[in-house]
Amino acid sequence: MTTLLPPTPLSPPSSTSPFPFTQNLIFNSFSSSTLTCKATNSSFQPHPTSNPSNPTSLITSKNSFSASPDNTLLTLLQQRKTDEAWLYYTKNLDQQLPNPTCLSRLVSQLSYQNSTISLRRAQSIIQRLRHERQLHRLDANSLGLLASAAAKGGHVLYAASIIKSMLKSGYLPHVKAWSSVVSRLASSGDDGPIESLGLFCAVTKRIRRLSNLDLVKHSLPDTAAYNAVLNACANLGDKNRFLELFNEMSEFDCEPDVLSYNVMIKLCARGDRKDLLVFVLERILEKGIPLCMSTFQSLVAAYVGFGDLVTAEKVVQAMREGRRDLCKMLREGNVEEVCLNDSDVFDKLLPNSVNWRDNEPPELSRVFEPNSRMYTTLMKGYMNAGRVTDMVRMLEAMRHLGDSESHPDHVTYTTVISAFVKQGLMDRAREVLAEMVRIGVPANRVTYNVLIKGYCQQLHIDMAEELIKEMIDTGIEPDVVSYNTIIDGCILVDDCAGALSYFNEMRARGIAPTKVSYTTLMKAFASSGQAKLANKVFDEMLKDPRVKVDLVAWNMLVDAYSKLGKVEEAKSVIERMKENGFYPNVATYGSLANAIALARKPGEALLLWNEIKQRCGMGNGEESIPSSGVPPLEPDEGLLDTLADICVRAAFFKKALEIVACMEQHGIPPNKTKFTRIYVEMHSRMFTSKHASRARQDRRKERKRAAEAFKFWLGLPNSYYGSEWRLDSVIDDEYKSE
């Protein structure tokens, strides 16, 4: 019997410390004035369990507690015996909650441990307090630390929910706590950048309500916080919002640093403004901001992203030669591409780009030599261009460079392995891995994941499985990407049981599934005709607070039922979609149309076409206006061809002509050859019976007129020869005959 293991609360976080604060600050500064502020109605009130004048006020003496279990728990916490404190909490305080001081410190120290089990423990305390409506017992410092730990561990949605709860309760977390969540959201997929913008604005909006900002100085956004939200804007390509936030920095006495301009390089790349990259570098030099290698790495990455390997090579070569006139060199190669627009926001972000011909390009303050990361970025450009030979040559050249900073590292070798995997040269990829072992460059999880993907693509699942065992033997634990890749490989070889086995093994190891994990397993069940199991996986994904279900997941469930011809089940899923705020797109309708064709229910095709027609704006009168909030639909060839095929086979010629007209309106050429064959094979003898009664002949007039019009469109003999056919005229004739 196919079973799914219960989901784990949290996935393993990274091994690094989750907090940018010092350890001393975490354990000895628990006052609200240090890490958090409570702001309501433009007034500041410290947390009732803290004393702003005494940073150690939360570490209350034993005599202040009336219950001895609290004394014991606090003593263990003060002695940094966090694990023992947790065990004591579970055994002796399962019926009665500890006092707020002990609870807050326990959550804080568990968060600081930054391990899978400690984060689960901290989360269980939060769940218990929410269930008992006692969440107010925790001070905001502990919540902020937990949010930071969750964000560092990759649980950004959970971390964001904690920060939002704090804001809703009137608390302002420390800037290092909320900005870490903003930063993680900005770099995450789906709607992460949008959520990042929303969270940043929610915090700053709350701050602006206060009359005295000195009271919340530890919550005010700093340059790092602005860099995080600017990165979100760059990832979205929202240059107007970027400009607004960039200008807003001075409101909180923040100055752009070199990382701010590195993000601006990304914005120029997203905005397809290669001509402005040099002016970002010049702006940094003009403002006297110290340069770092990350700026040059961003420049090379931008040119590689544009596919301009020539300029990327020039930058690296100029740095190797010790040239300081890098701006002049980039201007000379850029002069014919500069496109200025006075209304463009880039002119306000980079005022030096407006009259650039009037100024001499500045020189670098010192010589910068390229490092291994720059060479590796250039190698990625070679890989994307299919220039594997050039990439291997650069690897050999890097090995013989005198500067140790330029020697190839694990990222460099992983890039070479990726190139060989992309070319299907798995033997050479394994040779590179062996070379890494020989020269003492340790492979990391990414290196192994690339190789696993290569074997799965070549359907060598046994080799991929051996590689996972090799990972574990070398002390590298597989992550969710490793398991997602092997699960997908099992699907490629139709091994549904293997896919489920790896999914359960992943969760048994405490690795939280991602959206890709769930949808990949759904794909396995859908491809094997097990739609109910796909639905079960989908329901688990809906319940998982760490995963945001999107339209792709809904469509996969619709497709699972559609492949079996289960029209009613597919329609039921679509209704659930709409109830959850998702509108069907072309893929949704395409799957449903395929289900209708498989089930041979042409009447359902008419209902589907009416809905599609309305969203395409092709109805009559009010029917041509889509419902409020419903996005318009741009149908594709597959959807319309399937619907037309169903209608022709069912002799719904008027609807078939409407669909054909829609195809021509959207520039999609109908397949007349196919429709002619269907008509000749199935309907050539229609309406030829000489024994039909008069009443039956009258009832068939409407269908006959539509059939004649359809034959006219196909070019078959019909009663419309000698006149120009239009769909409108057919409809008008029908109304006249009524």
Side-chain angles (χ1 to χ4, degrees), residues 329-386:
M329 182 198 71
L330 291 176
R331 276 197 190 186
E332 291 173 351
N334 206 32
V335 63
E336 296 182 358
E337 298 184 21
V338 177
C339 54
L340 298 177
N341 185 349
D342 293 337
S343 63
D344 197 341
V345 297
F346 284 112
D347 297 342
K348 299 175 182 178
L349 289 170
L350 298 168
N352 58 314
S353 66
V354 179
N355 298 314
W356 61 276
R357 291 185 177 85
D358 299 337
N359 303 310
E360 289 294 323
E363 291 191 349
L364 303 181
S365 58
R366 64 179 181 86
V367 173
F368 292 86
E369 295 184 0
N371 57 16
S372 62
R373 191 57 53 88
M374 292 186 64
Y375 287 119
T376 302
T377 303
L378 187 56
M379 291 171 65
K380 290 179 180 177
Y382 292 147
M383 178 185 69
N384 295 334

Short mmCIF file of all heavy atoms in Angstrom, two decimals, residues 329-386:
data_model
loop_
_atom_site.label_atom_id
_atom_site.label_comp_id
_atom_site.label_asym_id
_atom_site.label_seq_id
_atom_site.Cartn_x
_atom_site.Cartn_y
_atom_site.Cartn_z
N MET A 329 38.24 52.37 -20.92
CA MET A 329 38.15 51.23 -21.83
C MET A 329 36.70 50.83 -22.07
O MET A 329 36.29 50.56 -23.21
CB MET A 329 38.93 50.06 -21.24
CG MET A 329 38.97 48.82 -22.13
SD MET A 329 39.42 47.35 -21.21
CE MET A 329 37.94 47.09 -20.23
N LEU A 330 35.89 50.80 -21.01
CA LEU A 330 34.49 50.42 -21.16
C LEU A 330 33.71 51.48 -21.92
O LEU A 330 32.79 51.15 -22.68
CB LEU A 330 33.87 50.19 -19.78
CG LEU A 330 34.37 48.97 -19.00
CD1 LEU A 330 33.76 48.92 -17.61
CD2 LEU A 330 34.07 47.69 -19.76
N ARG A 331 34.05 52.75 -21.72
CA ARG A 331 33.38 53.81 -22.49
C ARG A 331 33.64 53.66 -23.98
O ARG A 331 32.74 53.82 -24.80
CB ARG A 331 33.88 55.19 -22.02
CG ARG A 331 33.18 55.75 -20.81
CD ARG A 331 33.47 57.23 -20.73
NE ARG A 331 33.04 57.85 -19.49
CZ ARG A 331 33.10 59.15 -19.27
NH1 ARG A 331 33.59 59.95 -20.20
NH2 ARG A 331 32.69 59.66 -18.12
N GLU A 332 34.87 53.37 -24.32
CA GLU A 332 35.23 53.26 -25.74
C GLU A 332 34.47 52.14 -26.42
O GLU A 332 34.09 52.24 -27.59
CB GLU A 332 36.73 53.03 -25.87
CG GLU A 332 37.57 54.25 -25.48
CD GLU A 332 39.05 53.94 -25.45
OE1 GLU A 332 39.40 52.74 -25.57
OE2 GLU A 332 39.85 54.87 -25.28
N GLY A 333 34.24 51.07 -25.72
CA GLY A 333 33.47 49.98 -26.29
C GLY A 333 31.98 50.17 -26.17
O GLY A 333 31.20 49.37 -26.66
N ASN A 334 31.58 51.28 -25.56
CA ASN A 334 30.19 51.53 -25.21
C ASN A 334 29.60 52.73 -25.92
O ASN A 334 28.41 52.95 -25.87
CB ASN A 334 30.10 51.75 -23.70
CG ASN A 334 28.74 51.38 -23.14
OD1 ASN A 334 28.09 50.49 -23.64
ND2 ASN A 334 28.32 52.08 -22.11
N VAL A 335 30.47 53.51 -26.57
CA VAL A 335 30.08 54.85 -27.01
C VAL A 335 28.89 54.87 -27.95
O VAL A 335 28.04 55.75 -27.89
CB VAL A 335 31.29 55.55 -27.66
CG1 VAL A 335 31.75 54.82 -28.93
CG2 VAL A 335 30.96 57.01 -27.98
N GLU A 336 28.75 53.88 -28.81
CA GLU A 336 27.66 53.89 -29.78
C GLU A 336 26.37 53.29 -29.22
O GLU A 336 25.35 53.34 -29.87
CB GLU A 336 28.08 53.11 -31.03
CG GLU A 336 29.25 53.76 -31.77
CD GLU A 336 29.61 52.99 -33.02
OE1 GLU A 336 28.97 51.96 -33.26
OE2 GLU A 336 30.52 53.42 -33.74
N GLU A 337 26.43 52.74 -28.01
CA GLU A 337 25.26 52.06 -27.47
C GLU A 337 24.52 52.89 -26.43
O GLU A 337 23.45 52.51 -25.99
CB GLU A 337 25.67 50.73 -26.84
CG GLU A 337 26.29 49.77 -27.84
CD GLU A 337 26.60 48.44 -27.20
OE1 GLU A 337 26.00 48.14 -26.15
OE2 GLU A 337 27.43 47.70 -27.73
N VAL A 338 25.09 54.04 -26.02
CA VAL A 338 24.46 54.83 -24.97
C VAL A 338 23.15 55.40 -25.47
O VAL A 338 23.09 56.07 -26.50
CB VAL A 338 25.39 55.97 -24.51
CG1 VAL A 338 24.69 56.82 -23.47
CG2 VAL A 338 26.68 55.40 -23.95
N CYS A 339 22.07 55.11 -24.78
CA CYS A 339 20.74 55.63 -25.15
C CYS A 339 20.18 56.37 -23.94
O CYS A 339 19.76 55.76 -22.96
CB CYS A 339 19.81 54.51 -25.59
SG CYS A 339 19.63 53.17 -24.42
N LEU A 340 20.21 57.68 -24.00
CA LEU A 340 19.79 58.50 -22.87
C LEU A 340 18.34 58.93 -23.04
O LEU A 340 17.87 59.16 -24.14
CB LEU A 340 20.68 59.73 -22.74
CG LEU A 340 22.16 59.44 -22.46
CD1 LEU A 340 22.94 60.73 -22.42
CD2 LEU A 340 22.32 58.68 -21.16
N ASN A 341 17.66 59.05 -21.94
CA ASN A 341 16.27 59.50 -21.93
C ASN A 341 16.08 60.35 -20.68
O ASN A 341 16.27 59.88 -19.56
CB ASN A 341 15.33 58.30 -21.91
CG ASN A 341 13.88 58.72 -22.02
OD1 ASN A 341 13.55 59.90 -21.93
ND2 ASN A 341 13.01 57.76 -22.23
N ASP A 342 15.73 61.65 -20.88
CA ASP A 342 15.65 62.56 -19.74
C ASP A 342 14.63 62.12 -18.71
O ASP A 342 14.75 62.45 -17.52
CB ASP A 342 15.30 63.98 -20.24
CG ASP A 342 16.43 64.57 -21.07
OD1 ASP A 342 17.58 64.14 -20.90
OD2 ASP A 342 16.15 65.46 -21.88
N SER A 343 13.62 61.38 -19.15
CA SER A 343 12.58 60.96 -18.21
C SER A 343 12.90 59.62 -17.57
O SER A 343 12.14 59.14 -16.74
CB SER A 343 11.22 60.88 -18.93
OG SER A 343 11.27 59.91 -19.96
N ASP A 344 13.99 59.00 -17.95
CA ASP A 344 14.32 57.69 -17.43
C ASP A 344 14.81 57.81 -15.99
O ASP A 344 15.58 58.71 -15.65
CB ASP A 344 15.41 57.06 -18.29
CG ASP A 344 15.54 55.57 -18.08
OD1 ASP A 344 15.06 55.08 -17.04
OD2 ASP A 344 16.11 54.91 -18.94
N VAL A 345 14.35 56.88 -15.15
CA VAL A 345 14.78 56.91 -13.75
C VAL A 345 16.27 56.68 -13.61
O VAL A 345 16.88 57.11 -12.63
CB VAL A 345 14.00 55.87 -12.93
CG1 VAL A 345 12.52 56.17 -12.90
CG2 VAL A 345 14.24 54.46 -13.44
N PHE A 346 16.88 56.02 -14.60
CA PHE A 346 18.31 55.78 -14.51
C PHE A 346 19.10 57.08 -14.55
O PHE A 346 20.20 57.16 -14.02
CB PHE A 346 18.77 54.84 -15.63
CG PHE A 346 18.40 53.41 -15.40
CD1 PHE A 346 17.47 52.77 -16.21
CD2 PHE A 346 18.99 52.69 -14.38
CE1 PHE A 346 17.14 51.45 -15.99
CE2 PHE A 346 18.66 51.36 -14.16
CZ PHE A 346 17.73 50.74 -14.96
N ASP A 347 18.54 58.11 -15.20
CA ASP A 347 19.21 59.40 -15.22
C ASP A 347 19.27 60.02 -13.83
O ASP A 347 20.19 60.78 -13.51
CB ASP A 347 18.49 60.36 -16.18
CG ASP A 347 18.53 59.86 -17.61
OD1 ASP A 347 19.39 59.00 -17.91
OD2 ASP A 347 17.71 60.31 -18.43
N LYS A 348 18.28 59.70 -13.00
CA LYS A 348 18.28 60.21 -11.63
C LYS A 348 19.15 59.36 -10.72
O LYS A 348 19.77 59.89 -9.80
CB LYS A 348 16.84 60.25 -11.10
CG LYS A 348 15.93 61.15 -11.92
CD LYS A 348 14.48 61.08 -11.44
CE LYS A 348 13.57 61.94 -12.31
NZ LYS A 348 12.15 61.84 -11.89
N LEU A 349 19.19 58.07 -11.00
CA LEU A 349 20.07 57.21 -10.22
C LEU A 349 21.53 57.44 -10.58
O LEU A 349 22.41 57.39 -9.70
CB LEU A 349 19.71 55.74 -10.46
CG LEU A 349 18.40 55.23 -9.86
CD1 LEU A 349 18.09 53.83 -10.40
CD2 LEU A 349 18.48 55.20 -8.34
N LEU A 350 21.78 57.72 -11.85
CA LEU A 350 23.15 57.92 -12.34
C LEU A 350 23.23 59.25 -13.08
O LEU A 350 23.26 59.29 -14.32
CB LEU A 350 23.55 56.77 -13.27
CG LEU A 350 23.58 55.37 -12.64
CD1 LEU A 350 23.71 54.30 -13.71
CD2 LEU A 350 24.71 55.26 -11.64
N PRO A 351 23.23 60.36 -12.35
CA PRO A 351 23.29 61.67 -13.03
C PRO A 351 24.56 61.86 -13.85
O PRO A 351 24.58 62.67 -14.78
CB PRO A 351 23.23 62.67 -11.87
CG PRO A 351 23.64 61.91 -10.66
CD PRO A 351 23.19 60.50 -10.89
N ASN A 352 25.60 61.11 -13.54
CA ASN A 352 26.85 61.22 -14.30
C ASN A 352 26.73 60.64 -15.69
O ASN A 352 27.62 60.83 -16.53
CB ASN A 352 27.98 60.52 -13.54
CG ASN A 352 27.68 59.06 -13.28
OD1 ASN A 352 26.58 58.72 -12.84
ND2 ASN A 352 28.64 58.19 -13.53
N SER A 353 25.63 59.92 -15.98
CA SER A 353 25.46 59.32 -17.31
C SER A 353 24.79 60.27 -18.30
O SER A 353 24.75 59.97 -19.49
CB SER A 353 24.61 58.05 -17.19
OG SER A 353 23.27 58.36 -16.80
N VAL A 354 24.30 61.43 -17.81
CA VAL A 354 23.57 62.35 -18.69
C VAL A 354 24.52 63.10 -19.61
O VAL A 354 24.40 63.07 -20.83
CB VAL A 354 22.72 63.32 -17.86
CG1 VAL A 354 21.98 64.29 -18.78
CG2 VAL A 354 21.73 62.56 -16.98
N ASN A 355 25.49 63.78 -19.03
CA ASN A 355 26.46 64.55 -19.82
C ASN A 355 27.84 63.92 -19.70
O ASN A 355 28.82 64.59 -19.36
CB ASN A 355 26.48 66.00 -19.35
CG ASN A 355 25.14 66.69 -19.53
OD1 ASN A 355 24.51 66.59 -20.58
ND2 ASN A 355 24.69 67.39 -18.49
N TRP A 356 27.90 62.65 -19.96
CA TRP A 356 29.14 61.92 -19.73
C TRP A 356 30.27 62.37 -20.66
O TRP A 356 31.45 62.24 -20.32
CB TRP A 356 28.90 60.42 -19.89
CG TRP A 356 28.43 60.01 -21.26
CD1 TRP A 356 27.16 60.02 -21.72
CD2 TRP A 356 29.24 59.55 -22.34
NE1 TRP A 356 27.10 59.59 -23.01
CE2 TRP A 356 28.37 59.28 -23.42
CE3 TRP A 356 30.60 59.33 -22.50
CZ2 TRP A 356 28.84 58.81 -24.65
CZ3 TRP A 356 31.07 58.85 -23.71
CH2 TRP A 356 30.18 58.60 -24.77
N ARG A 357 29.94 62.90 -21.83
CA ARG A 357 30.98 63.34 -22.75
C ARG A 357 31.73 64.56 -22.25
O ARG A 357 32.83 64.86 -22.70
CB ARG A 357 30.38 63.64 -24.12
CG ARG A 357 29.87 62.41 -24.87
CD ARG A 357 29.38 62.78 -26.26
NE ARG A 357 28.95 61.61 -27.03
CZ ARG A 357 27.75 61.08 -26.97
NH1 ARG A 357 26.84 61.62 -26.15
NH2 ARG A 357 27.45 60.02 -27.69
N ASP A 358 31.13 65.30 -21.31
CA ASP A 358 31.77 66.51 -20.78
C ASP A 358 32.78 66.19 -19.70
O ASP A 358 33.49 67.10 -19.24
CB ASP A 358 30.70 67.45 -20.21
CG ASP A 358 29.70 67.90 -21.26
OD1 ASP A 358 30.06 67.86 -22.46
OD2 ASP A 358 28.57 68.27 -20.89
N ASN A 359 32.84 64.94 -19.26
CA ASN A 359 33.74 64.60 -18.16
C ASN A 359 34.67 63.47 -18.57
O ASN A 359 34.28 62.55 -19.30
CB ASN A 359 32.92 64.15 -16.94
CG ASN A 359 31.93 65.21 -16.48
OD1 ASN A 359 32.29 66.36 -16.30
ND2 ASN A 359 30.68 64.81 -16.31
N GLU A 360 35.89 63.56 -18.09
CA GLU A 360 36.85 62.50 -18.33
C GLU A 360 36.53 61.32 -17.41
O GLU A 360 36.14 61.51 -16.26
CB GLU A 360 38.28 62.98 -18.05
CG GLU A 360 38.80 63.96 -19.09
CD GLU A 360 38.97 63.30 -20.45
OE1 GLU A 360 39.37 62.11 -20.48
OE2 GLU A 360 38.68 63.96 -21.46
N PRO A 361 36.68 60.13 -17.92
CA PRO A 361 36.39 58.97 -17.07
C PRO A 361 37.40 58.87 -15.92
O PRO A 361 38.61 59.05 -16.13
CB PRO A 361 36.53 57.79 -18.02
CG PRO A 361 37.41 58.28 -19.12
CD PRO A 361 37.12 59.73 -19.27
N PRO A 362 36.93 58.62 -14.71
CA PRO A 362 37.86 58.50 -13.58
C PRO A 362 38.65 57.19 -13.65
O PRO A 362 38.26 56.24 -14.32
CB PRO A 362 36.92 58.51 -12.37
CG PRO A 362 35.63 57.96 -12.88
CD PRO A 362 35.53 58.41 -14.31
N GLU A 363 39.78 57.20 -12.94
CA GLU A 363 40.61 56.00 -12.88
C GLU A 363 40.45 55.31 -11.53
O GLU A 363 40.05 55.93 -10.54
CB GLU A 363 42.08 56.35 -13.12
CG GLU A 363 42.39 56.81 -14.53
CD GLU A 363 43.88 56.89 -14.78
OE1 GLU A 363 44.65 56.79 -13.79
OE2 GLU A 363 44.28 57.03 -15.95
N LEU A 364 40.78 54.04 -11.52
CA LEU A 364 40.73 53.30 -10.27
C LEU A 364 41.79 53.83 -9.31
O LEU A 364 42.86 54.27 -9.73
CB LEU A 364 40.98 51.81 -10.52
CG LEU A 364 40.04 51.10 -11.51
CD1 LEU A 364 40.41 49.62 -11.63
CD2 LEU A 364 38.59 51.23 -11.07
N SER A 365 41.46 53.78 -8.03
CA SER A 365 42.39 54.31 -7.03
C SER A 365 43.63 53.44 -6.88
O SER A 365 44.68 53.92 -6.46
CB SER A 365 41.68 54.44 -5.67
OG SER A 365 41.18 53.17 -5.27
N ARG A 366 43.50 52.18 -7.22
CA ARG A 366 44.63 51.27 -7.15
C ARG A 366 44.41 50.12 -8.12
O ARG A 366 43.35 50.03 -8.77
CB ARG A 366 44.81 50.73 -5.73
CG ARG A 366 43.65 49.87 -5.23
CD ARG A 366 43.92 49.37 -3.82
NE ARG A 366 42.84 48.53 -3.32
CZ ARG A 366 42.73 47.22 -3.53
NH1 ARG A 366 43.66 46.60 -4.27
NH2 ARG A 366 41.72 46.54 -3.02
N VAL A 367 45.38 49.25 -8.23
CA VAL A 367 45.29 48.11 -9.13
C VAL A 367 44.54 46.98 -8.43
O VAL A 367 44.79 46.68 -7.26
CB VAL A 367 46.69 47.64 -9.55
CG1 VAL A 367 46.60 46.34 -10.35
CG2 VAL A 367 47.39 48.72 -10.36
N PHE A 368 43.61 46.38 -9.15
CA PHE A 368 42.86 45.23 -8.66
C PHE A 368 43.16 44.04 -9.57
O PHE A 368 43.06 44.15 -10.79
CB PHE A 368 41.35 45.50 -8.66
CG PHE A 368 40.91 46.52 -7.66
CD1 PHE A 368 40.92 47.87 -7.96
CD2 PHE A 368 40.48 46.12 -6.40
CE1 PHE A 368 40.50 48.81 -7.05
CE2 PHE A 368 40.07 47.06 -5.46
CZ PHE A 368 40.08 48.40 -5.79
N GLU A 369 43.54 42.93 -8.96
CA GLU A 369 43.81 41.73 -9.73
C GLU A 369 42.60 40.80 -9.68
O GLU A 369 41.96 40.66 -8.63
CB GLU A 369 45.04 41.00 -9.18
CG GLU A 369 46.32 41.80 -9.33
CD GLU A 369 47.53 41.00 -8.87
OE1 GLU A 369 47.33 39.83 -8.44
OE2 GLU A 369 48.65 41.53 -8.93
N PRO A 370 42.28 40.17 -10.80
CA PRO A 370 41.11 39.28 -10.82
C PRO A 370 41.34 38.08 -9.90
O PRO A 370 42.46 37.59 -9.76
CB PRO A 370 41.01 38.85 -12.28
CG PRO A 370 42.37 39.07 -12.85
CD PRO A 370 42.96 40.22 -12.11
N ASN A 371 40.27 37.64 -9.26
CA ASN A 371 40.36 36.47 -8.38
C ASN A 371 39.67 35.28 -9.04
O ASN A 371 39.17 35.37 -10.17
CB ASN A 371 39.75 36.77 -7.01
CG ASN A 371 38.30 37.23 -7.11
OD1 ASN A 371 37.65 37.06 -8.15
ND2 ASN A 371 37.79 37.82 -6.05
N SER A 372 39.64 34.18 -8.33
CA SER A 372 39.09 32.95 -8.92
C SER A 372 37.60 33.09 -9.24
O SER A 372 37.11 32.50 -10.20
CB SER A 372 39.30 31.77 -7.95
OG SER A 372 38.62 32.00 -6.73
N ARG A 373 36.88 33.91 -8.45
CA ARG A 373 35.45 34.06 -8.69
C ARG A 373 35.19 34.75 -10.03
O ARG A 373 34.24 34.42 -10.74
CB ARG A 373 34.82 34.83 -7.54
CG ARG A 373 33.30 34.83 -7.55
CD ARG A 373 32.73 33.42 -7.55
NE ARG A 373 33.26 32.60 -6.48
CZ ARG A 373 32.75 32.54 -5.26
NH1 ARG A 373 31.70 33.27 -4.96
NH2 ARG A 373 33.28 31.74 -4.36
N MET A 374 36.04 35.73 -10.39
CA MET A 374 35.87 36.41 -11.68
C MET A 374 36.16 35.46 -12.83
O MET A 374 35.44 35.43 -13.84
CB MET A 374 36.78 37.63 -11.74
CG MET A 374 36.40 38.74 -10.78
SD MET A 374 37.40 40.22 -11.02
CE MET A 374 36.92 40.68 -12.68
N TYR A 375 37.24 34.69 -12.70
CA TYR A 375 37.55 33.71 -13.74
C TYR A 375 36.41 32.69 -13.88
O TYR A 375 36.04 32.30 -14.98
CB TYR A 375 38.86 32.99 -13.41
CG TYR A 375 40.11 33.84 -13.60
CD1 TYR A 375 40.95 34.12 -12.54
CD2 TYR A 375 40.44 34.34 -14.86
CE1 TYR A 375 42.09 34.89 -12.71
CE2 TYR A 375 41.58 35.11 -15.05
CZ TYR A 375 42.40 35.39 -13.96
OH TYR A 375 43.53 36.15 -14.14
N THR A 376 35.88 32.29 -12.74
CA THR A 376 34.80 31.30 -12.76
C THR A 376 33.56 31.86 -13.45
O THR A 376 32.87 31.16 -14.20
CB THR A 376 34.47 30.86 -11.33
OG1 THR A 376 35.63 30.32 -10.71
CG2 THR A 376 33.37 29.81 -11.34
N THR A 377 33.26 33.14 -13.18
CA THR A 377 32.11 33.77 -13.84
C THR A 377 32.29 33.80 -15.35
O THR A 377 31.36 33.54 -16.11
CB THR A 377 31.93 35.20 -13.30
OG1 THR A 377 31.76 35.16 -11.88
CG2 THR A 377 30.71 35.86 -13.93
N LEU A 378 33.51 34.11 -15.78
CA LEU A 378 33.79 34.11 -17.22
C LEU A 378 33.68 32.69 -17.78
O LEU A 378 33.18 32.50 -18.90
CB LEU A 378 35.19 34.68 -17.47
CG LEU A 378 35.60 34.91 -18.92
CD1 LEU A 378 34.61 35.82 -19.64
CD2 LEU A 378 37.01 35.50 -18.99
N MET A 379 34.10 31.72 -17.01
CA MET A 379 33.97 30.33 -17.45
C MET A 379 32.50 29.93 -17.61
O MET A 379 32.16 29.16 -18.51
CB MET A 379 34.67 29.40 -16.46
CG MET A 379 36.18 29.53 -16.46
SD MET A 379 36.96 28.62 -15.11
CE MET A 379 36.56 26.96 -15.54
N LYS A 380 31.64 30.45 -16.74
CA LYS A 380 30.21 30.18 -16.89
C LYS A 380 29.69 30.74 -18.21
O LYS A 380 28.80 30.15 -18.84
CB LYS A 380 29.44 30.77 -15.72
CG LYS A 380 29.68 30.05 -14.40
CD LYS A 380 28.90 30.69 -13.26
CE LYS A 380 29.16 29.96 -11.95
NZ LYS A 380 28.45 30.61 -10.81
N GLY A 381 30.24 31.89 -18.61
CA GLY A 381 29.86 32.44 -19.91
C GLY A 381 30.28 31.51 -21.04
O GLY A 381 29.51 31.30 -22.00
N TYR A 382 31.49 30.96 -20.95
CA TYR A 382 31.93 29.99 -21.95
C TYR A 382 31.02 28.77 -21.95
O TYR A 382 30.68 28.23 -23.01
CB TYR A 382 33.37 29.55 -21.65
CG TYR A 382 34.41 30.64 -21.85
CD1 TYR A 382 35.55 30.69 -21.05
CD2 TYR A 382 34.26 31.61 -22.83
CE1 TYR A 382 36.50 31.67 -21.23
CE2 TYR A 382 35.20 32.61 -23.02
CZ TYR A 382 36.32 32.63 -22.21
OH TYR A 382 37.26 33.60 -22.39
N MET A 383 30.63 28.33 -20.76
CA MET A 383 29.76 27.16 -20.67
C MET A 383 28.42 27.42 -21.34
O MET A 383 27.92 26.59 -22.10
CB MET A 383 29.55 26.79 -19.20
CG MET A 383 28.62 25.60 -18.98
SD MET A 383 28.27 25.27 -17.24
CE MET A 383 27.26 26.72 -16.84
N ASN A 384 27.83 28.59 -21.07
CA ASN A 384 26.54 28.92 -21.66
C ASN A 384 26.63 29.04 -23.18
O ASN A 384 25.65 28.78 -23.88
CB ASN A 384 26.01 30.23 -21.07
CG ASN A 384 25.70 30.11 -19.60
OD1 ASN A 384 25.41 29.03 -19.09
ND2 ASN A 384 25.77 31.23 -18.88
N ALA A 385 27.80 29.46 -23.67
CA ALA A 385 27.99 29.60 -25.11
C ALA A 385 28.44 28.30 -25.76
O ALA A 385 28.66 28.27 -26.99
CB ALA A 385 29.00 30.71 -25.40
N GLY A 386 28.61 27.25 -24.96
CA GLY A 386 29.05 25.97 -25.52
C GLY A 386 30.52 25.91 -25.83
O GLY A 386 30.98 25.01 -26.54
#
